[in-house]
Amino acid sequence: MIDSKEYNRRRRQLMRMAGRDAIVIVPAAAERLRNNDAHYPYRQDSDFHYLTGFGEPDAVLALVPGRAQGEVILFCRERDRTREQWDGHRAGQEGAVADFGMDDAFPIEDIDDILPGLIEGRARVYYHFGRDTDFDLVLMGWVNRVRSNVRQGAKPPHEFVALSHLLHDLRLYKSRAEIRLMHKSAQIAAEAHVRAMRAARPGMNEHEVEAELLHTFRKHGAVPSYEPIVGGGANGCVLHYRANNATLRDGDLLLIDAGAEFSCYASDITRTFPVNGRYTPEQRALYDIVLAAQLAAIDEVRPGRSFDAYHQAAVRSLTAGLIKLGLLSGSLRSNLDEHRYRRFYMHKTGHWLGLDVHDVGDYRVDGEYRELEPGMVVTVEPGLYISPDMKGVPARFRGIGIRIEDDVVVTRGDPNVLSSGVPKDADEIEALMASA
């Protein structure tokens, strides 16, 4: 887990970046109704969690650099024995200070009386404008209250700055504690994928395999980091397939894209394997092309390389493989220049990973792809998708969708693959399934 000292370092670093004349305001995620009086499972806002580790709703963090009475202030729910009997423990103001390292804490009901005074005298407000329109209006109401007292000497802020400009660049670089949590998340997801490989067989339904994934997640105290994709046969060609309700057929492949979230940190793994335990020659030929592309891409996840470098490595490898197999014709150079591979491979090879599956952080700086640096974590996920109705392709290849995805840390040396606990070599997958 991440201790309170690390959260404190994050807050201090953000305040140094914001400056002594600024205020930073970060609300917790709101609870959301699913239907009538039943809620969706609560998940804390990632930025709020990054700065506090505080898991309750109805809370607001205010960072006020240089404030003599305390720079780190949390507004949160009071202890309430009756409500806690219904909804569970609350930290309260004492817990916010003692357990979460806040300088001070106030009841959330008092925020209208206190926060305008914290805004007054600050030149800049850092906040996620446009993310929560209701809270936007509340914040502007506090600012307007300060403005209404200008004749009495009040000094309202004159600049409003998107918080993401500062905070999301901090989140891009993972600490050792964060990488440990992400490794744990990837280990749980890897175990789930292995369980699914052992369980899958012709005649099962996709949702039965999904249940095997969910069993492993919950056994280890994790939840899905996104809605799992469990696509048999041609369903594997649908990039965001979510129905998970078809019968698995003998001779088809099964594509599973599923990650775990542990202590709010995500993993993101994809494997593609034969339902009956044996790849057909056509499936194996395409699978080996994708695997070779993934290995080439992972080798480019190194400090000093462009974020785009590993995508380009995957594209070159995929294109060369498709030419060799006869699904593309012409030279490698002409195929790359004309992007002919996009017929079979239409997405990028990866994204940032962290508290969010598609984690925050700019991919370009001053118009150029940013360089990879130690502590960044990316997914590497090339694929090939040949839909059942694709023309100009031999029938034996149609309806095959393959993706292989791992989670990779940029280190000072070789790439660190967090998700190596689930096999991806075709022979190893077949051996695993045979042993089941």
Side-chain angles (χ1 to χ4, degrees), residues 1-2 6-7 10 49-50 170-185 262 265-266 354-355 359 375 377 418:
M1 295 299 178
I2 296 172
E6 180 162 332
Y7 289 111
R10 295 171 180 177
H49 176 85
Y50 180 80
L170 291 181
R171 282 180 50 189
L172 185 56
Y173 300 88
K174 275 59 179 182
S175 68
R176 291 180 181 176
E178 288 181 291
I179 290 174
R180 282 194 296 270
L181 285 175
M182 294 183 69
H183 188 210
K184 176 67 173 180
S185 171
F262 181 77
Y265 282 86
L355 283 167
D359 207 28
V377 184
L418 298 177

Side-chain angles (χ1 to χ4, degrees), residues 20 64-73 104 106 114 118 122:
R20 291 179 65 86
V64 194
R67 181 174 178 267
Q69 304 94 324
E71 297 176 304
V72 181
I73 300 164
D104 207 348
F106 300 99
I114 298 172
L118 301 177
R122 297 281 150 173

Side-chain angles (χ1 to χ4, degrees), residues 128-174:
H128 287 305
F129 293 96
R131 180 182 290 184
D132 182 339
T133 54
D134 290 337
F135 197 90
D136 291 352
L137 294 174
V138 172
L139 174 58
M140 292 313 301
W142 293 329
V143 172
N144 287 333
R145 195 183 309 176
V146 178
R147 286 172 174 165
S148 69
N149 293 320
V150 169
R151 292 185 178 181
Q152 286 74 43
K155 296 180 179 180
H158 57 76
E159 190 176 356
F160 299 88
V161 187
L163 178 58
S164 59
H165 178 67
L166 298 182
L167 181 55
H168 290 176
D169 217 50
L170 291 181
R171 282 180 50 189
L172 185 56
Y173 300 88
K174 275 59 179 182

Side-chain angles (χ1 to χ4, degrees), residues 164-238:
S164 59
H165 178 67
L166 298 182
L167 181 55
H168 290 176
D169 217 50
L170 291 181
R171 282 180 50 189
L172 185 56
Y173 300 88
K174 275 59 179 182
S175 68
R176 291 180 181 176
E178 288 181 291
I179 290 174
R180 282 194 296 270
L181 285 175
M182 294 183 69
H183 188 210
K184 176 67 173 180
S185 171
Q187 286 178 314
I188 294 169
E191 182 180 325
H193 278 264
V194 168
R195 182 184 176 99
M197 287 179 182
R198 293 183 184 277
R201 57 184 54 86
M204 289 182 70
N205 194 285
E206 291 167 347
H207 61 65
E208 293 181 83
V209 179
E210 181 182 9
E212 301 294 332
L213 301 168
L214 300 179
H215 170 89
T216 304
F217 293 166
R218 296 304 299 137
K219 182 178 75 170
H220 293 290
V223 296
S225 52
Y226 52 93
E227 195 171 5
I229 296 169
V230 183
N235 293 335
C237 298
V238 181

Side-chain angles (χ1 to χ4, degrees), residues 80-136:
D80 183 324
R81 184 173 181 178
T82 300
R83 290 313 315 166
E84 289 180 57
Q85 185 171 13
W86 284 91
D87 303 323
H89 174 74
R90 297 180 177 185
Q93 285 67 57
E94 290 185 4
V97 174
D99 301 330
F100 294 91
M102 304 297 154
D103 294 335
D104 207 348
F106 300 99
I108 189 67
E109 290 81 7
D110 296 343
I111 193 169
D112 286 336
D113 298 325
I114 298 172
L115 198 51
L118 301 177
I119 293 173
E120 198 277 325
R122 297 281 150 173
R124 292 183 307 285
V125 176
Y126 285 88
Y127 167 72
H128 287 305
F129 293 96
R131 180 182 290 184
D132 182 339
T133 54
D134 290 337
F135 197 90
D136 291 352

Side-chain angles (χ1 to χ4, degrees), residues 324-340:
K324 186 175 181 179
L325 197 60
L327 296 182
L328 288 175
S329 60
S331 69
L332 177 62
R333 184 74 267 157
S334 65
N335 274 277
L336 291 172
D337 289 345
E338 297 174 20
H339 307 295
R340 295 178 199 160

